[in-house]
Amino acid sequence: MSKMHIKLTVNGKEEELLAEPRELLIYVLRERLNLTGPHVGCETSHCGACTVEMNGKSVKSCTVLAAQANGAEITTIEGLGTPDELHVLQKMFKEHHGLQCGYCTPGMITRAHRLLQENPNPSEEEVRFGMAGNLCRCTGYQNIVKSIMAAAAEMNSAKEAAE
Amino acid sequence: MIPPAFEYHRPQDVASAVQILAEQGDEARCLAGGHSLIPMMKLRMAAVEHLVDLQDIAEMQGITTESGTIRIGAMVTQHELITSDALASAAPIIREAALQIADPQVRYMGTVGGNVANGDPGNDMPGLMQALDATFHLHGPDGARDVAAREFFEAAYMTAREDEEILTAITFAPHAKGYAYEKQKRKIGDYATAAAAVLIEKDGMVAGNATVAMTNLSDTPVFSEAAGAALTGTSCDAHAMKAAIDAMLNDIDPTEDNRGPVEFKRHVAGVILSRAISRAWDRA
Ligand SMILES: Cc1cc2nc3c(=O)[nH]c(=O)nc-3n(C[C@H](O)[C@H](O)[C@H](O)COP(=O)(O)OP(=O)(O)OC[C@H]3O[C@@H](n4cnc5c(N)ncnc54)[C@H](O)[C@@H]3O)c2cc1C
Ligand code: FES
Ligand code: FES
């Protein structure tokens, strides 16, 4: 089957590549663009480890075709923070033990990032409901929720200080 | 888990999409959000030679609630259903049901059109649309036609839609004040073990028109006319409730699967329907 020209804006950078339409977005990101932050957990649309942001939506990139993503703007965990300059969510996950093995973490943080864009002041229940598409085998979720609540508080007080 | 190869199309309007479907016959399939189709393709349970992605078709987007009719474009996502304030005031049962579908990531992609066109008895929107007495608008090579939601579902994955037709929009009237969508699932993000959509119009002190539709309890959604009729003229008391549940149990035909044996599903269906009736009556 012939390959198609695919254009993506990933973490603010324009990328062009040739891929078969049937390739899954997660593999385009990991294997063609070397962005190995998003992980493959289940490959069956259940675990959320592959979550990235596509055109302002949190999506499971194992269930998006390369062709479908053509023209899209994508943010992965690599676009949120760097080891030297962590995103507030990354800082809070670190501080509040929001991760153990870390496998689910890029998906958790990318999803939480979108959740806080849409609802900057979530209740604990709203965080749990909004994170329901992301599974973690290690933490028992308690500290993930704590980290996200702490990040929301931090982002809100930074916003207030700026005003 | 790699889908089989296919030719990809991204038409810009309904007419061009229909043309591709007409040319390719049953080798072609529409792609909406892809969250039922892509998993099936990955499992190699769906083979598609030509995939027709509907994402760029503007005519299939958007929600309008003018002059007594609610119109939802087939490509409206479950996330958009939940966040539409116009829809929440004109037909709040939609938000209540959409919030119980899958998980946030799936709801950003999954569309209302894909959910009903799919024909999977596990999908939540078909039963809901039957309760609302919605109309499905189809476009094919011979033009447009309308099919009532209550006439659309023939068997699992078999609907009144022809292969070369596209579902473009769904319309219905604002619903009764009493409403409830109640769903039993094994865990968040799961399909229903049993779900019930109930609408009750209050007429003085008693129930006027009442509608009941059940999900995942047969190979199609089940619009139970008899269950609705059992509530009309009553105050939805224990006696009426039991009559409605008995009528509903007569209409469903669940099969045993990993959600449980038949007796269990019938039990859950009764519990879910009684909860839905109570909540709808409280709101009526
Ligand atoms: C983990 C997970 C959990 C889920 N849980 C639930 C749940 O609890 N309840 C529920 O209802 N659903 C659930 N779903 C399914 C989800 O809601 C799907 O997105 C939805 O059923 C299909 O919508 P779609 O836009 O993704 O359609 P697609 O997958 O793109 O299409 C589905 C089928 O419909 C056809 N089609 C799509 N649009 C049209 C159209 N406009 N005209 C003609 N044919 C069309 C396609 O050709 C295909 O055959 C779940 C999915 C996942 C992955
Ligand atoms: S790898 Fe995509 S949801 Fe699990
Ligand atoms: S930290 Fe190990 S899976 Fe979440």
Side-chain angles (χ1 to χ4, degrees), chain A residues 62-141:
Chain A
C62 73
T63 314
V64 175
L65 302 167
Q68 227 179 340
N70 191 14
E73 254 179 64
I74 288 165
T75 307
T76 67
I77 187 73
E78 286 89 344
L80 291 183
T82 63
D84 298 326
E85 212 166 317
L86 294 180
H87 186 273
V88 186
L89 273 160
Q90 293 170 315
K91 238 184 269 172
M92 291 303 149
F93 268 66
K94 186 175 159 196
E95 222 164 86
H96 295 275
H97 302 278
L99 65 153
Q100 287 177 23
C101 80
Y103 201 83
C104 68
T105 316
M108 287 284 176
I109 291 181
T110 320
R111 169 61 196 140
H113 177 252
R114 171 97 312 247
L115 175 66
L116 295 184
Q117 305 273 305
E118 287 174 13
N119 182 359
N121 238 324
S123 64
E124 183 184 325
E125 202 190 332
E126 286 168 338
V127 168
R128 287 182 183 273
F129 192 74
M131 297 299 296
N134 295 75
L135 303 183
C136 175
R137 296 303 297 266
C138 303
T139 63
Y141 302 100

Side-chain angles (χ1 to χ4, degrees), chain A residues 1 21-22 24 43-45 51 57-60 62-63 65 67-68 70 111 114 118 129-130 132-134, chain B residues 1 3-6 8 10 31 33 35 38-39 42 44 51 53 55 79 99 103-105 107-109 188:
Chain A
M1 224 14 93
R22 63 169 166 166
L24 300 172
E43 224 185 355
T44 58
S45 338
T51 300
K57 306 164 166 186
S58 299
V59 302
K60 294 175 175 173
C62 73
T63 314
L65 302 167
Q68 227 179 340
N70 191 14
R111 169 61 196 140
R114 171 97 312 247
E118 287 174 13
F129 192 74
N134 295 75
Chain B
M1 300 280 285
F6 52 82
Y8 177 78
R10 203 193 275 193
L31 176 75
H35 273 53
I38 295 171
K42 285 175 24 179
R44 305 276 169 140
L51 198 58
D53 187 343
Q55 68 169 295
H79 178 78
L99 280 167
D103 60 43
Q105 283 94 322
R107 293 194 294 263
Y108 281 108
M109 292 300 286
I188 200 158

Side-chain angles (χ1 to χ4, degrees), chain B residues 82-167:
Chain B
I82 292 165
T83 49
S84 162
D85 290 332
L87 197 56
S89 65
I93 194 170
I94 302 262
R95 177 184 284 179
E96 182 159 297
L99 280 167
Q100 299 181 61
I101 292 179
D103 60 43
Q105 283 94 322
V106 175
R107 293 194 294 263
Y108 281 108
M109 292 300 286
T111 66
V112 64
N115 202 289
V116 303
N118 198 26
D120 181 338
N123 282 141
D124 286 285
M125 289 291 165
L128 180 61
M129 292 304 162
Q130 292 195 331
L132 288 165
D133 198 11
T135 303
F136 296 162
H137 302 278
L138 302 173
H139 272 253
D142 302 328
R145 67 180 180 119
D146 293 347
V147 180
R150 292 177 189 172
E151 309 284 323
F152 187 74
F153 300 94
E154 296 170 346
Y157 302 101
M158 304 263 295
T159 68
R161 186 184 67 82
E162 301 293 339
D163 282 344
E164 64 283 358
E165 283 181 316
I166 291 177
L167 170 70

